[in-house]
Amino acid sequence: MCGIVGYIGEKQAQPILLSCLCRLEYRGYDSSGIAVLGSDIEVYKDAVRVRVLEKASPPLIGAIGIGHTRWATHGEPSLVNAHPHCDCTGKIAVVHNGIINNFQKLRQKLTSEGHNFISETDTEVIPHLIEKYYEGDLEKAVETALREVEGSYAIIVLMAGEPKLVAARKDSPLIIGVGDRENFIASDVPAILDYTSRVIYLEDDDIGVVTTDNIKVRRHGVEIKRKEHKILWSVEDAQKAGYEHFMLKEIHEQPKVIRDTIGVYVSMTEPVADLALQGDTGLEDMLILACGTSYHAALLGKYIMEELIKIPVRAELASEFNYWGRTSARSRTIVITQSGETADVLKAIKRLREEGRRVIAITNVVGSTASRITDQVVYTRAGPEISVAATKSFIAQLMALYWLALPYSKIDIRRLDSLIMGLRQLPGKVQQVLDNEAVISECAKQLSRHQDVFFISRGINFPVALEGALKLKEISYIHAEGYGAGELKHGPFSLLGSDTPVVAIVAQDNTYEAMLTNIREVKARRSPVIAVVEEGDEAVGELVDSVILVPQVDAIFSPVVNTVVMQLLAYHAAKQRGCPVDFPRNLAKSVTVE
Ligand code: BG6
């Protein structure tokens, strides 16, 4: 997820482009760049944040320009990979947000036709394709070029000698800001709100042709009219897309994040990383290391891998592993880290590499240290996560773990097919949980009145109970513990009572009956119980105080829908208590010290 902008008018474009880009940094901030058309196109870009670029860039004269702030997906953050990207002549410049899935094929073809590529990005194929098809009509050349592109894109094209901007979108947001003797194009409303509140939303397959005093929208070659909207939001509200907090926005982004993350791992059978788990090397075990919420993903990875690949898997805290952990030559290690910068994880990687172990990283940040010092990287596609408490990045990590395991799974083909189908249906299932937010928020209000809460479950949902407790602790300042339901009787029972509610996650799997027993034991000690159960379950409702229903999914996917309930419980409890949800006290998004 990057931020793109365009300006055409009577004022100098450079300062306007830079201030619009600053408003879009919540979409990505690992590099930035602008291109301005004066007598010719001048480009200034680097692997720096917009404010730094602003200070360093020389004056670029011209009243037409485009700009970009990046969240790297293909090619590490660097000057050469930063946008805008140009064609061989330097006369066509493009900024892009999205992912071009067939860029390698296009690149090979264009290279064989004499085009010279300088970056590692998927985007660079676009200006070269436009150059290939340009015969005096820029819109036509853009339309023809885009017919060859597979994937998602929002682009803005600037061309020397053409006093216009051409914009196009497919599966990535793009808006036009309507001004007076000037117009704007941007990924999202926050970018332009300092200049205008009149906005036109482009739809998929629309092509916008924007000049200083005219806006034309074409669709499949035909000119159409798009409605103009008046935006009443403040810039900050707009950055949150109307949600009150980044955390709630990021929770609601999860159906798209699941689609984006599994969408990249095209084929089922093509391993996303070389686990090399069976046959020649006879690996003994697998070790998954992480911290915080990512550690709970590691624990879930243990259940997923053991269930599908049938080998022993250890999940350990990186901070503990660094002082105690052992591996053998026949261990395979995966580290999970959203930021790719958590010190404890980096220390573990360095030690493992010194011991000659191969390490695979699952990370959300292209170019992060973890992605550079490991043998293989599996990127999650959660986009930038602003809220300190991890939500969408966690769900994306689970998608990566399912994808890592499936090609190596030792299950029969019919089961494999049903799991693949189940994965593809997950975005819809998660949306169903989000649609049930009102019920979850009511239960959260009950929790917000207490200072101690237990989360319990068994089997593959035990790590979800841990994550539920961590989320509540992180943002609502309520003391919470996640526990294996079978463990309560070995101590925590002493803490139960009417002041200590219990959230019980009850999955339709081999732990179901045991969970019913544990809930009866908890009720016998007068704790109020909120149960998270699958639609169609009648038995649990009779035993507990409140029920949160989740859609039916295969048991191995139940942690995904149950986790979204945990996230919303914590969010609404924290909101009820007036806590600073996005930036809780004493915490940081990435802890780069041991
Ligand atoms: C903490 C964050 O600092 O680090 C958590 O607040 C996160 O949300 C943890 O889970 C681990 O971070 P990462 O980037 O290694 O997954």
Side-chain angles (χ1 to χ4, degrees), residues 5-228:
V5 293
Y7 173 78
I8 182 161
E10 295 173 342
K11 304 189 188 89
Q12 281 304 305
Q14 184 172 10
I16 295 172
L17 293 170
L18 292 165
S19 88
C20 292
L21 283 177
C22 274
R23 296 279 186 214
L24 288 180
E25 278 201 315
Y26 68 96
R27 302 176 61 86
Y29 42 77
D30 60 40
S31 38
S32 56
I34 57 173
V36 172
L37 175 56
S39 51
D40 214 332
I41 290 183
E42 286 187 278
V43 175
Y44 191 81
K45 59 182 184 173
D46 200 352
V48 293
R49 296 194 62 159
V50 179
R51 284 282 171 241
V52 179
L53 191 86
E54 185 171 31
K55 289 207 181 66
S57 64
L60 306 182
I61 308 307
I64 313 176
I66 58 177
H68 186 274
T69 180
R70 188 171 188 233
W71 178 261
T73 58
H74 295 76
E76 291 187 355
S78 65
L79 190 157
V80 79
N81 289 335
H83 297 212
H85 288 286
C86 296
D87 68 319
C88 300
T89 66
K91 296 214 171 305
I92 298 170
V94 171
V95 288
H96 166 229
N97 169 38
I99 294 173
I100 300 174
N101 294 333
N102 63 338
F103 82 99
Q104 268 133 338
K105 222 169 68 215
L106 292 171
R107 200 177 165 117
Q108 276 147 17
K109 191 153 155 280
L110 288 160
T111 305
S112 67
E113 293 164 0
H115 289 261
N116 173 34
F117 285 81
I118 56 173
S119 80
E120 301 159 283
T121 66
D122 53 335
T123 301
E124 198 184 351
V125 292
I126 300 178
H128 286 279
L129 281 170
I130 296 170
E131 178 196 356
K132 174 178 174 182
Y133 293 115
Y134 183 73
E135 292 162 350
D137 178 336
L138 183 56
E139 296 101 279
K140 245 197 167 30
V142 172
E143 256 169 31
T144 316
L146 292 177
R147 278 200 214 103
E148 296 199 17
V149 169
E150 289 160 22
S152 63
Y153 56 78
I155 62 167
I156 310 172
V157 183
L158 176 69
M159 181 166 188
E162 293 268 2
K164 66 178 80 164
L165 293 174
V166 176
R169 65 153 288 176
K170 183 172 164 298
D171 295 336
S172 275
L174 201 58
I175 59 135
I176 297 175
V178 186
D180 181 16
R181 304 274 318 133
E182 60 183 6
N183 289 309
F184 306 79
I185 304 171
S187 295
D188 203 351
V189 170
I192 52 121
L193 275 182
D194 291 327
Y195 301 96
T196 177
S197 56
R198 298 167 55 199
V199 165
I200 293 172
Y201 290 92
L202 289 180
E203 303 294 339
D204 278 352
D205 302 327
D206 282 2
I207 295 208
V209 184
V210 181
T211 63
T212 298
D213 46 31
N214 187 29
I215 295 168
K216 209 170 49 182
V217 180
R218 285 154 58 109
R219 188 175 177 72
H220 310 316
V222 181
E223 196 163 331
I224 56 162
K225 203 96 198 80
R226 284 274 176 235
K227 188 167 169 295
E228 186 182 306

Side-chain angles (χ1 to χ4, degrees), residues 203-487:
E203 303 294 339
D204 278 352
D205 302 327
D206 282 2
I207 295 208
V209 184
V210 181
T211 63
T212 298
D213 46 31
N214 187 29
I215 295 168
K216 209 170 49 182
V217 180
R218 285 154 58 109
R219 188 175 177 72
H220 310 316
V222 181
E223 196 163 331
I224 56 162
K225 203 96 198 80
R226 284 274 176 235
K227 188 167 169 295
E228 186 182 306
H229 301 258
K230 181 139 183 64
I231 304 293
L232 305 168
W233 286 341
S234 72
V235 171
E236 224 228 357
D237 286 348
Q239 283 173 329
K240 295 175 191 147
Y243 290 97
E244 191 177 348
H245 296 99
F246 279 110
M247 182 178 178
L248 189 61
K249 176 186 170 228
E250 288 157 5
I251 290 173
H252 280 265
E253 282 176 357
Q254 295 180 117
K256 180 175 181 311
V257 165
I258 294 173
R259 266 192 297 278
D260 288 354
T261 298
I262 58 177
V264 168
Y265 312 141
V266 178
S267 83
M268 280 316 128
T269 51
E270 208 49 54
V272 282
D274 158 20
L275 286 182
L277 282 160
Q278 68 269 49
D280 57 354
T281 58
L283 280 176
E284 256 167 31
D285 70 339
M286 187 192 302
L287 172 64
I288 314 179
L289 296 175
C291 301
T293 287
S294 297
Y295 169 66
H296 296 147
L299 265 179
L300 276 163
K302 167 187 165 57
Y303 286 83
I304 294 165
M305 301 276 178
E306 291 188 345
E307 160 90 6
L308 296 179
I309 309 176
K310 318 287 183 208
I311 64 153
V313 177
R314 293 178 289 148
E316 291 185 18
L317 290 165
S319 48
E320 276 306 305
F321 175 80
N322 290 336
Y323 291 90
W324 201 259
R326 297 258 167 282
T327 60
S328 81
R330 293 209 296 276
S331 289
R332 168 71 75 224
T333 304
I334 297 175
V335 298
I336 305 180
T337 166
Q338 186 282 131
S339 60
E341 303 299 346
T342 299
D344 291 319
V345 174
L346 299 184
K347 183 172 178 179
I349 297 170
K350 289 177 188 138
R351 188 190 128 195
L352 286 161
R353 307 275 335 267
E354 277 151 21
E355 292 172 1
R357 309 286 183 254
R358 274 175 59 73
V359 183
I360 298 168
I362 296 178
T363 185
N364 193 44
V365 181
V366 174
S368 58
T369 308
S371 73
R372 282 185 275 111
I373 63 171
T374 45
D375 301 282
Q376 263 182 298
V377 189
V378 176
Y379 286 117
T380 54
R381 303 279 175 190
E385 192 170 60
I386 308 295
S387 177
V388 166
T391 53
K392 61 177 182 173
S393 62
F394 176 74
I395 292 293
Q397 288 163 353
L398 299 191
M399 293 308 118
L401 287 161
Y402 289 124
W403 230 259
L404 261 173
L406 279 171
Y408 294 93
S409 53
K410 291 202 185 95
I411 53 180
D412 70 60
I413 190 66
R414 266 164 308 138
R415 172 109 174 96
L416 181 59
D417 287 347
S418 80
L419 288 183
I420 292 165
M421 173 89 81
L423 262 171
R424 295 207 184 288
Q425 290 166 346
L426 273 181
K429 300 286 182 179
V430 168
Q431 190 55 53
Q432 281 177 257
V433 177
L434 296 172
D435 298 342
N436 190 27
E437 188 170 351
V439 171
I440 300 170
S441 149
E442 276 316 303
C443 293
K445 285 200 184 103
Q446 296 168 33
L447 293 182
S448 69
R449 290 192 287 270
H450 296 275
Q451 198 40 52
D452 300 289
V453 175
F454 277 92
F455 289 75
I456 62 169
S457 193
R458 284 174 175 264
I460 196 167
N461 283 286
F462 165 49
V464 179
L466 295 176
E467 178 58 9
L470 178 61
K471 284 274 130 345
L472 198 66
K473 276 184 280 216
E474 279 178 302
I475 62 172
S476 75
Y477 309 153
I478 294 173
H479 170 244
E481 286 200 56
Y483 246 81
E487 269 306 290

